[in-house]
């Protein structure tokens, strides 16, 4: 009876401690650090794995490419001068934006396996974004404006301005913008007018914003929405027809004045060949020695 009571107390204390056996944990699963600073990624594991537990660290960037940081207890070549393994914790001496991603602490021992995941975000202020703004758009046509920054970390969000006034993400929520039809994606930085109108004319620029530093704006530019110039199109067609008529008249006039050769002038002319009388005589019409013209055509 006493033994059963001791076992029950032991099981209660074991459960109360939160330890279930063969556990791998981290003190901070989401770590943020400024660029060029050092950072510690923690990894703790229970004693069940044994005194000779194997600890490895893997890194996967935000594009999905994965590599070892610590393998067989030692840093791999790309990290040899940058990281240190202190027990099971990983120390990165000087982080860069390339260290953004996901780190796995994998522990194996006594035929068991466990892991803990840490997300590392390197804080980098946004750079000056690249904007693409069409200078001219025809009324009723689609217009697309883009804004992108590849420097900032975490990835920045984007704000668009027209004539120095911020454009709301949803124009239908503000009375001043209800007559405009556009979609604004603050994550991708894309501003799209499905059917541009005269009210959409203005000077545009965008800002890239994140938590690492002050926002940055692009140089921007003016987009002008114009009506289709039907008068100009008609005038262009008329000018083209006039030029075509002048060309036809010029060819006819040159042909009539003889500046261009006629078909009869290009016919081959007969070639006159002189044949002297035969010294030895002979039959035929050539015996009288008279000069006669022989016509031949050279082909």
């Amino acid at each position: 009876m006493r033994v059963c009571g001791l076992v029950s107390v032991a099981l209660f204390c074991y459960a109360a401690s939160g330890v279930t056996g063969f556990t791998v944990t981290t003190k901070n699963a989401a770590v943020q650090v400024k660029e060029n600073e050092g950072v510690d990624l923690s990894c703790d594991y229970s004693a069940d794995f044994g005194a000779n537990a194997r600890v490895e660290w893997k890194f996967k960037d935000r594009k999905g490419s994965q590599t070892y940081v610590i393998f067989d207890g030692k840093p791999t070549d790309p990290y040899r001068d940058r990281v240190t393994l202190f027990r099971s914790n990983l120390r990165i001496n000087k982080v860069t934006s390339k260290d953004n991603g996901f780190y796995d602490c994998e522990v194996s021992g006594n035929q068991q396996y466990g892991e803990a995941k840490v997300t590392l975000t390197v804080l980098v202020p946004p750079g000056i974004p690249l904007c693409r703004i069409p200078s001219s758009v025809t009324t009723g046509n689609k217009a697309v404006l883009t804004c992108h920054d590849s420097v900032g970390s975490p990835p920045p969000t984007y704000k668009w301005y027209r004539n120095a006034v911020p454009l709301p993400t949803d124009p239908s929520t503000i009375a001043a913008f209800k007559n405009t039809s556009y979609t604004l994606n603050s994550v991708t930085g894309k501003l799209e007018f499905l059917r541009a109108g005269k009210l959409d004319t203005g000077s545009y620029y965008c800002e890239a914003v994140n938590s690492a530093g002050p926002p940055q704006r692009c140089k921007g530019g003016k987009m002008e929405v114009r009506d289709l110039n039907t008068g100009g199109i008609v005038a262009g067609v008329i000018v083209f027809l006039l030029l075509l008529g002048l060309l036809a008249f010029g060819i006819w006039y040159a042909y009539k004045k003889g500046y261009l050769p006629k078909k009869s002038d290009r016919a081959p002319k007969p070639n006159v060949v002189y044949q002297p009388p035969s010294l030895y005589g002979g039959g035929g019409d050539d015996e009288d020695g008279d000069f006669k013209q022989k016509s031949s055509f050279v082909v």
Side-chain angles (χ1 to χ4, degrees), residues 126-297:
I128 297 177
L130 175 64
C131 294
R132 298 189 184 278
I133 302 168
S135 59
S136 179
V137 181
T138 302
T139 303
N141 287 356
K142 183 171 71 173
V144 179
L145 291 72
T146 60
C147 181
H148 179 68
D149 167 53
S150 58
V151 176
S153 174
T157 57
Y158 302 94
K159 297 179 180 180
W160 276 97
Y161 294 79
R162 180 174 64 205
N163 299 328
V165 177
L167 296 178
T169 305
D170 185 1
S172 63
T173 59
I174 299 178
F177 294 91
K178 285 186 176 181
N179 293 327
T180 61
S181 60
Y182 66 83
T183 56
L184 196 164
N185 191 323
S186 60
V187 177
T188 63
K190 184 178 179 180
L191 174 61
E192 183 174 359
F193 296 89
L194 299 178
R195 294 177 60 86
K198 288 292 189 65
L199 293 176
D200 300 321
T201 295
S203 296
Y204 289 82
Y205 66 86
C206 87
E207 280 186 347
V209 183
N210 71 3
S211 59
Q216 297 287 340
R217 68 175 55 175
C218 68
K219 183 179 179 181
K222 184 176 182 180
M223 183 180 77
E224 186 174 358
V225 181
R226 301 176 179 176
D227 292 330
L228 184 64
N229 189 5
T230 55
I233 296 175
V234 172
V237 172
I238 293 174
V239 171
F240 174 76
L241 294 176
L242 287 175
L243 291 176
L244 192 63
L246 288 174
L247 179 62
F249 175 77
I251 294 174
W252 173 81
Y253 185 80
Y255 183 80
K256 185 176 182 180
K257 292 296 184 180
Y259 299 137
L260 295 178
K262 298 180 180 179
K263 290 184 179 180
S264 58
D265 296 336
R266 293 195 295 268
K269 296 180 180 181
N271 188 14
V272 178
V273 179
Y274 171 73
Q275 182 176 357
S278 174
L279 299 176
Y280 302 101
D285 296 336
D286 294 337
E287 290 181 357
D288 55 2
D290 294 337
F291 167 81
K292 290 185 178 181
Q293 175 178 321
K294 300 241 177 173
S295 299
S296 64
F297 292 89

Side-chain angles (χ1 to χ4, degrees), residues 2-19:
R2 185 178 179 182
V3 172
C4 291
L6 291 174
V7 171
S8 299
V9 171
L11 291 173
F12 175 78
C13 295
Y14 186 76
S17 65
V19 178

Side-chain angles (χ1 to χ4, degrees), residues 31 35 50 52 66 132 174 213 287:
V31 179
E35 191 176 25
N52 296 320
Q66 185 168 279
R132 298 189 184 278
I174 299 178
E287 290 181 357

